[in-house]
Structure formats: C-alpha cells, structure tokens
Amino acid sequence: MAPSQIHDAPIPPAPNKQSESRFASLPIPPVDEPFTLNAEFLSDTYPQKVNLGIGVYRTESGDPWPLPVVEEAETQLHRSKNVARHEYLTIQGDGKFLNLARDLVFGFDSGIEPNGTHQQNGDHNKDKENKDRIVSIQTISGTGANRLGAEFLARSLHPRNVWIPEPTWANHLTIWDLVGVERKPYPYFDPATKAFNYDSTVQTLKTQAQKGDVVILHACAHNPTGADPSKEQWTKLASIFQQKGLIPFFDLAYQGFASGSLDEDAFAIRHFMNCTPRIEFCVAQSFSKNFGLYGQRAGALHLVTNPAESESSLPQIALANLSHLVRGEYSMAPRGGSEIVRTVLSSPDLRKKWGEDLKNMSGRIKAMRQALYDELLKLGTPGKWEHILAQIGMFSYTGLTEPQVLAIRQRHHVYMLKSGRISMSGLNPKNVSYVARAIDDVVRTVTLARKQ
C-alpha cells in the first residue's frame, strides 16, 4: 500500500464498550458539615428557622456586620488613590502589616493598645531579642497559615505524629492529612463537665507523645467547644512541652473577639514565648473574625525559632524555605485585607475604634450566652447549663446528642452541627426564647422516654 493510502486509511472503531475515565477511582471526600448545613438552612422556607451552624458574626437582626472601623479604613484607602494598590506584594507579604500583626500577637512594646495609648513593656532589650527569634510571612488567612506551617514542619522536621484536640476545627484534620503526618487525638473535652479535660490531656501527652511531635493548640475560644485552659493550666502545659520536647502549633483565630481583650486572648502564646528553656513553635494568625474580613483572607504565620549564637542566619534561612513553599503554592498573599488591617493597626485613632468594635462583638456574644442560659433555667430544662456561661467565644458545645440535634432541626427548624455545637452569634433577642424552647422540648422528650 502506498504511503498516502496508509495515512488516508480509516481508523478502525474501538471495541464496543463504555470507556473508563482515568479519574473513575477517585475517592469521595467527606462533606464539609458547616457549609452543607448552611445550604440546607437557606433552602428551608420555614419562617422561624434559626441558623446556629455557620461560624460568622451576625448582628441582633441576623445580618452581617462590616466593622465601622473597617469601613473607615476602606474609605481612607480609597481616597489615597495609591496607584500601586493593585500591584503584587512580595512573596513574604506586606512588611509593615507583618510587623504590626506580630506585635499584636506577642505584645511587644511597639504595639498600641485599643485605647490608643502605646504599650509600655519596659524591657526593650528582651523585646528586641524575641523579635529576632520570629519569622513572619503573610498567608491566605488562618487556613493558609495552618496549611503553610504544617507543610513546612512536615518537610523540615519530619514529625512522627501531630496531636490534634478531640474535638477540633475539622480543617486541622484535613490539613495534616494532606501533608502526610500521622494524626493522633488527645482528649481535649470532657463531656461530663463540658469543660477542658486537663487531666486526660496531660496524661496523654506525657505518656504517648514523643520528642519532636507537633501538638495543635487553640490559643483562645476553642473551636468547637468554647472551653479553654485556665492560665494556671497553660503554664503547666508549657512545662510539659519543655520536658517532652514537643512542638506547639497555636491556632489564633479570635484574638480580641473572644474576651474583648487582646492581652487576655494572647496569654498562652506570650507565656510560651517567654519560657526558659525556650520553646520553638508556630502561630497561625487570622483576621477573619476580629476584623470581620471573612472573604478578604488576611492572615500570617509566625515561626518562633531558638537559634544559637553561631546560627544567627537561621531565621533568614527559615524565611527562605517558607517563601519557597509560598512561591510554589500561590506566589504571594492577597493585599486588600492586609492593607485594611495595616491601616487600622498603625493608627492610634482607628486602633481605639477597633477596640470598641471588639467589645461590641464580644459583648453581644456574652449577652446571648446569658440570655440562653436564663431562658433554659426559666423553662426548667432538665440538666445543667452552667457550661454555656463558662465557655467563651463564638461557639458553645451544648451537650446535645446527635439524635437530639436532628430532632431539633426536624421539629423546630433550628440548625446546628451534629456535635451539638452552636454559633452564639446566631442567637438574638428575637429568637433566643424560641431556641431555648426547642432545646427544652427535645431534652424533655428524651428524659421522659428514659423514665418510662
């Protein structure tokens, strides 16, 4: 056959069978419950429906609340007409933003308190020494900081295990699964007391954790339980980390939002920073909650190192490695949210207004805790409910079981996670009584069924 005839010959048909995609064996990942629950809530047409699932701040009318100080900062940025406002950041990020973010976490004397005054630490030499230990890099909010920190530790230190509180923010599990470090739970929450399980946590870390293991810690307002260690317990935990050679990884998503105090909410991190012998650790910092910048994705990762005198270049080498990971992942962080945070934190006037916004948000959360507790007591709802007041921050672990949660959703259209976690900001003066009656109804039904 001539060469031209070979090329012109028809291609014989493939065997008569359905082709298989190369992706046919993909596993089905677990669904993200909060977002799935939110979609179910939005499709519900019941007029009295209540959303206690999504972890975002809401006003008393149930609406989003752009912080007034953020709106003012946005106006200032718009009026400045900076021609470079859409340019790339460096791979490390906005240097001024990073310094302000670092000082906010660690309480250095260059910080400004919410009342607009400069913090006087008094030990400038120690501050300078501590600052030199810290490597900071801008991230895509707290999730990006957790992911970058996990990737960096997995590649550089090769920890055998990462100890994750049970329960925890679900994304901790996903992030550490993706970097290939074996995940192990430690019993953070005591269902009987509905509080932090200090004894079991200590026992687990002392007897099972190995030198070089990473331990995830919620710096304040533990998600999902709202149960935090006391200052005394934090101090004792730091000693255990020193003795065992463990690597703390703090997730700081609620500084100032939890208690209304920047200092109170950063106590654990600052204590670990000033421990002797020194502890090396990570802090994933988010500005989603305390600035209301959920969609702007402003955050930072801070790596606290302990270089010897002969290792003065260690922080720069660590930054180079982090930057290398960022470059291959997303090149650099977005600048819109970080510019807002930088504008607020660098202005005494705006800083003071931000402090007022924080007190507004944290104060409303506390008021809703009190209101729900009062309503349950007024109804005589079976069980003890003091934990609602003892817990802190956006979330509360109610103690409701999964069947009770599903019953409340079906009967009363009140949406919460299957674990019984509720977002306190979803409560308001118009619905808190309704929610309390819904809880009372289901709890009484279970209590009566047990007695029969």
Side-chain angles (χ1 to χ4, degrees):
M1 185 180 291
S4 61
Q5 291 177 305
I6 294 174
H7 291 297
D8 292 339
I11 299 174
N16 187 20
K17 68 174 183 177
Q18 186 176 355
S19 63
E20 288 188 2
S21 169
R22 291 178 174 85
F23 308 109
S25 61
L26 281 175
I28 299 175
V31 298
D32 192 293
E33 188 186 1
F35 289 96
T36 303
L37 186 69
N38 191 54
E40 187 177 340
F41 168 82
L42 292 174
S43 66
D44 191 340
T45 58
Y46 190 72
Q48 280 189 286
K49 65 180 181 178
V50 179
N51 188 356
L52 303 180
I54 198 72
V56 294
Y57 182 79
R58 291 291 181 257
T59 65
E60 290 191 350
S61 59
D63 296 320
W65 190 57
L67 273 61
V69 73
V70 168
E71 294 183 324
E72 188 170 344
E74 287 176 317
T75 300
Q76 288 187 15
L77 289 166
H78 177 72
R79 288 176 178 170
S80 70
K81 297 187 181 300
N82 176 15
V83 295
R85 63 188 178 275
H86 300 307
E87 293 292 293
Y88 290 127
L89 291 174
T90 67
I91 297 174
Q92 183 182 5
D94 181 331
K96 188 172 183 181
F97 159 76
L98 286 170
N99 287 340
L100 290 163
R102 175 201 64 194
D103 292 354
L104 188 74
V105 175
F106 295 97
F108 296 136
D109 60 5
S110 59
I112 305 172
E113 289 301 290
N115 62 10
T117 62
H118 284 272
Q119 180 186 0
Q120 298 298 323
N121 188 306
D123 194 343
H124 299 285
N125 291 333
K126 186 175 182 181
D127 280 353
K128 173 64 168 61
E129 186 179 341
N130 280 337
K131 286 180 185 179
D132 289 343
R133 297 174 56 197
I134 301 171
V135 177
S136 300
I137 191 165
Q138 191 172 333
T139 60
I140 302 178
S141 198
T143 299
N146 273 280
R147 179 70 171 88
L148 179 61
E151 186 74 34
F152 173 76
L153 293 178
R155 287 172 174 266
S156 60
L157 301 185
H158 309 289
R160 293 186 183 88
N161 309 294
V162 57
W163 293 88
I164 299 180
E166 174 61 37
T168 193
W169 177 51
N171 229 2
H172 285 147
L173 301 172
T174 301
I175 287 167
W176 285 92
D177 177 54
L178 291 174
V179 300
V181 176
E182 185 173 352
R183 301 168 301 171
K184 292 190 175 181
Y186 66 91
Y188 183 91
F189 186 72
D190 184 349
T193 62
K194 299 180 179 63
F196 171 54
N197 194 339
Y198 173 76
D199 291 337
S200 293
T201 292
V202 168
Q203 178 68 13
T204 299
L205 295 181
K206 277 188 172 182
T207 60
Q208 298 182 42
Q210 303 176 60
K211 183 178 181 180
D213 282 358
V214 177
V215 182
I216 302 300
L217 301 167
H218 297 239
C220 64
H222 179 270
N223 176 8
T225 69
D228 286 354
S230 66
K231 290 182 179 179
E232 181 183 4
Q233 290 170 338
W234 275 124
T235 302
K236 292 178 179 178
L237 284 170
S239 297
I240 295 170
F241 277 76
Q242 290 171 308
Q243 295 163 13
K244 296 282 296 184
L246 305 176
I247 304 169
F249 196 128
F250 286 99
D251 193 344
L252 179 64
Y254 299 96
Q255 187 181 4
F257 182 99
S259 69
S261 167
L262 297 168
D263 293 334
E264 287 294 312
D265 294 344
F267 169 83
I269 293 171
R270 295 177 188 179
H271 176 77
F272 275 63
M273 181 73 191
N274 292 304
C275 281
T276 304
R278 289 175 169 178
I279 304 174
E280 294 183 302
F281 61 94
C282 290
V283 179
Q285 181 183 23
S286 169
F287 292 100
S288 293
K289 303 297 193 297
N290 56 10
F291 270 83
L293 296 174
Y294 301 100
Q296 294 282 11
R297 315 312 292 148
L301 174 69
H302 306 283
L303 172 67
V304 180
T305 66
N306 182 28
E309 290 184 9
S310 60
E311 301 170 327
S312 58
S313 62
L314 176 60
Q316 288 72 33
I317 295 172
L319 177 59
N321 278 268
L322 288 166
S323 297
H324 180 65
L325 293 174
V326 166
R327 180 61 172 156
E329 187 82 15
Y330 51 88
S331 279
M332 68 281 298
R335 67 185 299 157
S338 62
E339 287 190 338
I340 292 170
V341 174
R342 184 194 67 204
T343 301
V344 172
L345 295 184
S346 59
S347 163
D349 178 56
L350 293 182
R351 184 82 172 247
K352 182 178 181 180
K353 291 177 180 178
W354 179 51
E356 293 168 356
D357 289 345
L358 288 174
K359 287 184 171 62
N360 188 324
M361 290 189 290
S362 61
R364 200 185 89 71
I365 295 291
K366 292 174 186 176
M368 287 301 98
R369 287 185 178 278
Q370 187 68 55
L372 179 60
Y373 174 76
D374 290 345
E375 289 291 335
L376 291 171
L377 257 62
K378 185 165 62 176
L379 292 168
T381 306
K384 295 182 179 180
W385 302 98
E386 288 80 4
H387 59 279
I388 293 175
L389 300 180
Q391 295 166 1
I392 188 173
M394 180 174 284
F395 302 114
S396 177
Y397 238 38
T398 58
L400 296 170
T401 64
E402 183 175 334
Q404 290 172 329
V405 167
L406 297 176
I408 289 172
R409 191 185 309 173
Q410 182 179 14
R411 295 186 196 178
H412 303 284
H413 302 261
V414 175
Y415 289 79
M416 63 184 75
L417 299 192
K418 293 176 182 178
S419 63
R421 187 202 84 171
I422 62 174
S423 175
M424 300 304 298
S425 67
L427 295 173
N428 58 59
K430 295 180 182 178
N431 67 23
V432 66
S433 178
Y434 176 77
V435 170
R437 292 197 303 272
I439 294 173
D440 181 77
D441 170 47
V442 171
V443 171
R444 284 186 184 278
T445 299
V446 173
T447 303
L448 290 172
R450 286 174 178 170
K451 289 180 178 180
Q452 292 175 353

